[in-house]
Amino acid sequence: MEAQHVKAICPGSFDPITNGHLDIIERAAQLFPRVIVAVLENPNKKPLFSLMERVDLIGQVTAHLSNIEVSCFSGLLVDFARRVEGNLIVKGLRAISDFEIEFQMALSNKKMAPEIETMFMMTKNEYSFLSSSMIKEIAHFGGAVHDLVPPQVEKALALKFEHYF
Ligand code: PNS
């Protein structure tokens, strides 16, 4: 598959998007001509940010990238990828602890949709400990998250937890 024919998908819950996610999305946008950020609507999870809030925040923080589209999906990622004619799934890998689940997901997706590739990028060292759950916990108890999330997300978290600036 040549890079110019790639339509890449960066999937996730993005509750909310972090600097770690943004780093992976920006790097994917440099490598491939079209990138779709795909936000999972998971009826089994109660997210802090609604689907529309998550999509909106991603739109705001990726506004500087002209080849990014933000979309949402429920159900299987491979079904979404086929619907939008995506042919590559791009994911960030943080620590060894991510590996097992990511390996399982990549092989399951490959079994269901052999024509779709999965590619992993190692996260930047400074974001290797970051997760949306950790950020929500820090923000919930009034800790500083300004180095961990884009300013728009910092503000949205402050509003959610009513720590007004
Ligand atoms: O940000 P997350 O929660 O780690 O993202 C996980 C995500 C959305 C990539 C993953 O849960 C997913 O692809 N869900 C869709 C359901 C699916 O396709 N499952 C089968 C293969 S794992």
Side-chain angles (χ1 to χ4, degrees):
M1 196 195 310
E2 289 178 27
Q4 75 259 31
H5 297 130
V6 170
K7 194 185 228 187
I9 296 173
C10 293
S13 304
F14 302 107
D15 185 37
I17 186 167
T18 68
N19 283 349
H21 293 130
L22 190 55
D23 171 52
I24 299 294
I25 293 167
E26 284 172 340
R27 284 155 64 193
Q30 275 172 7
L31 288 171
F32 305 115
R34 285 164 304 171
V35 177
I36 301 181
V37 181
V39 187
L40 176 69
E41 180 180 22
N42 185 348
N44 301 323
K45 272 194 191 170
K46 177 89 190 77
L48 176 64
F49 291 96
S50 73
L51 186 63
M52 282 309 121
E53 286 172 328
R54 286 178 277 152
V55 167
D56 182 55
L57 281 172
I58 298 167
Q60 288 182 43
V61 305
T62 58
H64 60 295
L65 303 166
S66 58
N67 55 341
I68 296 278
E69 208 181 290
V70 189
S71 192
C72 48
F73 74 106
S74 56
L76 291 176
L77 175 60
V78 289
D79 287 340
F80 171 79
R82 281 177 169 151
R83 246 189 340 267
V84 298
E85 296 179 337
N87 44 13
L88 179 72
I89 296 167
V90 176
K91 303 195 84 178
L93 209 53
R94 289 168 301 192
I96 300 170
S97 51
D98 274 350
F99 180 78
E100 195 169 347
I101 181 70
E102 291 298 344
F103 187 61
Q104 255 182 351
M105 286 200 267
L107 292 191
S108 307
N109 287 335
K110 194 74 188 161
K111 178 85 185 144
M112 291 185 284
E115 77 281 12
I116 300 172
E117 286 299 339
T118 298
M119 189 185 105
F120 293 99
M121 287 185 194
M122 306 317 271
T123 53
K124 268 192 190 165
N125 196 28
E126 65 216 79
Y127 302 139
S128 59
F129 68 97
L130 260 192
S131 71
S132 297
S133 318
M134 191 63 72
I135 280 163
K136 282 182 280 191
E137 188 161 315
I138 295 172
H140 180 48
F141 294 111
V145 293
H146 58 266
D147 284 343
L148 312 177
V149 293
Q152 297 92 329
V153 175
E154 184 190 8
K155 198 166 175 200
L157 281 164
L159 288 172
K160 281 273 177 214
F161 294 121
E162 299 189 348
H163 304 304
Y164 294 106
F165 288 106

